[in-house]
């Protein structure tokens, strides 16, 4: 393997730049050429490439977003699109590819590998942490800290005005951010996509917190929580059932995807980038690198995209006890 390409694909996440840097520098270390592909699979189809040397990635370890840009590509879902992508790889004499992205990007990688037997290693980059085969995805730790910081600030105003705040955090299918940020910021109640705890439980816990003498409350809601109501309807529902509460809503939104990566994410990105390149140089393919028990491990990409990374329900119990 003489030339390795790297791309970021799907939703961006903090730490992607640190991973690009790691891939590029590891290639330089092993005297292997490295090419950056702009805009994920979209740029691959367009042949939008740039040669990267160790010096091309100076001063990016601390930057949010991705210098290679990211995209979602409809065309890569078609055979014709993937054929164009393969032609560009051949034309540029690229032997292997590192894809930094989420499960959609990995599904694309599996399909491409089945058709062209092209060596690919995946690095999990998504704030949702919803990928099997790693306890942490790149960007999750940063997003978690961003959410906790924001909830802390909301608590200041909630307690000044004796109000109830519903805070929506990202997570359409996974409650990792909601559950951990909720416990970390001391929320009274946490609603997640994995478990339908019922709205009665929420009302009970809010009543309990009033009886216990708390003047303000925070409920953290994941985007895709199981109640089937959006965060505004939840606030209305509580006001209708518990008139003593004045509820407000705050949707944190895309701020959770940005910002400088935490030290944890920078270190993780550096470790995963090294492993990804070393696996390719070792002739391995179709693997995703990840972290387990603080060791860098690899998992078949086809396994990783099947999901099954379950969240730690013990945290819900801890949260319950903490709201006593
Ligand atoms: P996030 O977790 O942030 O959503 P992701 O990597 O899951 O990131 P997706 O938009 O789901 O983001 O996927 C990224 C790209 O991967 C898609 O735009 C598409 O080009 C490619 N892709 C996804 N599924 C397939 C598939 N079945 N066949 C071919 N390509 C695919």
């Amino acid at each position: 393997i003489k030339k390795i390409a790297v791309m970021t694909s799907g939703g961006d996440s903090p730490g992607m730049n640190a991973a690009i840097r790691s891939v590029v520098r590891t290639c330089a270390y092993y005297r292997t050429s490295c090419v950056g592909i702009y805009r994920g699979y979209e740029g691959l189809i367009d042949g939008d490439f740039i040669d990267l040397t160790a010096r091309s990635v100076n001063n990016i370890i601390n930057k949010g977003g991705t210098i290679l840009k990211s995209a979602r590509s409809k065309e890569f879902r078609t055979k014709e699109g993937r054929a164009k992508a393969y032609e560009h790889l051949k034309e540029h004499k690229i032997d292997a590819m590192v894809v930094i992205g989420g499960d959609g990007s990995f599904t694309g990688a599996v399909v491409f590998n089945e058709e062209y037997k092209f060596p690919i290693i995946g690095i999990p980059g998504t704030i949702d942490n919803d990928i099997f085969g790693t306890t942490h995805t790149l960007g999750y730790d940063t997003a978690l800290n961003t959410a906790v910081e924001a909830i802390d600030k909301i608590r200041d105003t909630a307690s000044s005005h004796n109000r109830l705040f519903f805070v929506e955090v990202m997570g359409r299918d996974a409650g990792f951010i909601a559950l951990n940020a909720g416990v970390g910021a001391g929320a009274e109640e946490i609603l997640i996509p994995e478990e339908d705890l019922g709205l009665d439980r929420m009302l009970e816990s809010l009543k309990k917190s009033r009886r216990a003498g708390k003047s303000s409350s925070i409920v953290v809601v994941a985007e895709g929580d199981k109640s089937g109501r959006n965060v505004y309807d939840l606030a209305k529902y509580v006001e209708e059932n518990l008139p003593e509460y004045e509820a407000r809503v705050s949707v944190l939104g895309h701020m959770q995807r940005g910002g400088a990566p935490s030290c944890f994410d920078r270190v993780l990105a550096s470790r995963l980038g090294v492993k990804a390149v070393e696996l390719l140089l070792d002739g391995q393919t179709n693997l995703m690198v990840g972290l387990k028990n603080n060791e860098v491990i690899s998992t078949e990409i086809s396994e990783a995209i099947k999901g099954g990374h379950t969240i730690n329900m013990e945290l819900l119990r801890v949260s319950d006890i903490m709201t006593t």
Side-chain angles (χ1 to χ4, degrees):
I1 288 192
K2 296 209 170 60
K3 202 189 251 188
I4 293 177
V6 56
M7 69 156 74
T8 48
S9 167
D12 66 310
S13 69
M16 281 185 162
N17 278 327
I20 294 168
R21 170 181 178 270
S22 173
V23 169
V24 172
R25 294 247 165 112
T26 309
C27 284
Y29 179 84
Y30 287 110
R31 305 204 181 286
T32 304
S33 301
C34 190
V35 170
I37 301 169
Y38 283 112
R39 298 177 291 114
Y41 294 126
E42 198 67 9
L44 180 54
I45 289 170
D46 295 343
D48 197 0
F49 298 167
I50 179 172
D51 289 332
L52 296 172
T53 66
R55 295 286 73 75
S56 319
V57 289
N58 287 349
N59 300 324
I60 66 165
I61 191 168
N62 55 339
K63 299 265 192 317
T66 155
I67 58 161
L68 289 177
K69 314 279 181 190
S70 192
R72 297 199 152 91
S73 167
K74 279 212 181 91
E75 209 181 341
F76 196 73
R77 292 174 186 272
T78 66
K79 255 190 170 343
E80 297 73 29
R82 293 192 294 273
K84 280 193 218 165
Y86 183 66
E87 283 311 310
H88 286 301
L89 288 169
K90 264 202 331 201
E91 188 189 317
H92 286 80
K93 299 191 165 44
I94 294 167
D95 305 306
M97 190 159 66
V98 177
V99 174
I100 307 167
D103 56 355
S105 304
F106 294 160
T107 306
V110 169
V111 172
F112 192 65
N113 182 275
E114 274 167 11
E115 286 171 351
Y116 296 103
K117 300 278 163 275
F118 195 83
I120 299 178
I121 299 285
I123 296 181
T126 166
I127 63 164
D128 294 336
N129 206 37
D130 56 349
I131 294 183
F132 176 78
T134 186
T135 50
H136 290 77
T137 56
L138 277 187
Y140 166 59
D141 181 70
T142 304
L144 201 52
N145 283 299
T146 302
V148 166
E149 236 173 77
I151 299 168
D152 284 347
K153 288 177 180 156
I154 290 167
R155 184 178 288 284
D156 287 346
T157 182
S159 60
S160 302
H161 291 276
N162 291 348
R163 272 185 189 141
L164 163 66
F165 260 88
F166 281 83
V167 184
E168 186 192 271
V169 298
M170 278 189 168
R172 255 181 301 229
D173 307 302
F176 290 97
I177 294 182
L179 192 51
N180 287 276
V183 170
E188 271 60 46
E189 192 62 39
I190 303 164
L191 303 180
I192 52 174
E194 289 85 351
E195 190 94 337
D196 186 5
L197 300 166
L199 295 177
D200 289 346
R201 179 192 136 115
M202 178 177 68
L203 294 181
E204 266 320 302
S205 112
L206 290 173
K207 275 193 220 160
K208 191 177 94 183
S209 116
R210 260 292 143 102
R211 280 200 302 271
K214 289 193 189 173
S215 56
S216 65
S217 295
I218 303 240
V219 178
V220 174
V221 186
E223 270 170 304
D225 91 275
K226 266 258 167 42
S227 72
R229 291 171 194 245
N230 71 34
V231 68
Y232 295 97
D233 291 340
L234 282 171
K236 217 188 283 165
Y237 177 82
V238 169
E239 284 188 335
E240 281 162 10
N241 287 278
L242 303 174
E244 66 271 32
Y245 271 109
E246 200 184 332
R248 291 284 184 276
V249 170
S250 182
V251 176
L252 299 188
H254 283 82
M255 66 179 292
Q256 295 161 92
R257 287 241 292 253
S262 65
C263 182
F264 180 91
D265 275 327
R266 297 180 200 192
V267 174
L268 180 64
S270 305
R271 295 175 76 185
L272 297 185
V274 168
K275 184 74 172 178
V277 171
E278 287 182 342
L279 285 171
L280 286 173
L281 294 177
D282 194 34
Q284 312 259 10
T285 179
N286 264 4
L287 298 170
M288 183 198 83
V289 289
L291 198 67
K292 194 177 173 191
N293 299 328
N294 203 24
E295 298 277 339
V296 177
I297 58 155
S298 59
T299 310
E300 292 286 332
I301 292 188
S302 51
E303 286 299 312
I305 56 180
K306 275 192 205 145
H309 181 178
T310 50
I311 65 168
N312 183 353
M313 287 300 177
E314 190 233 349
L315 275 180
L316 270 184
R317 205 174 74 81
V318 169
S319 167
D320 263 354
I321 295 173
M322 288 305 107
T323 54
T324 299

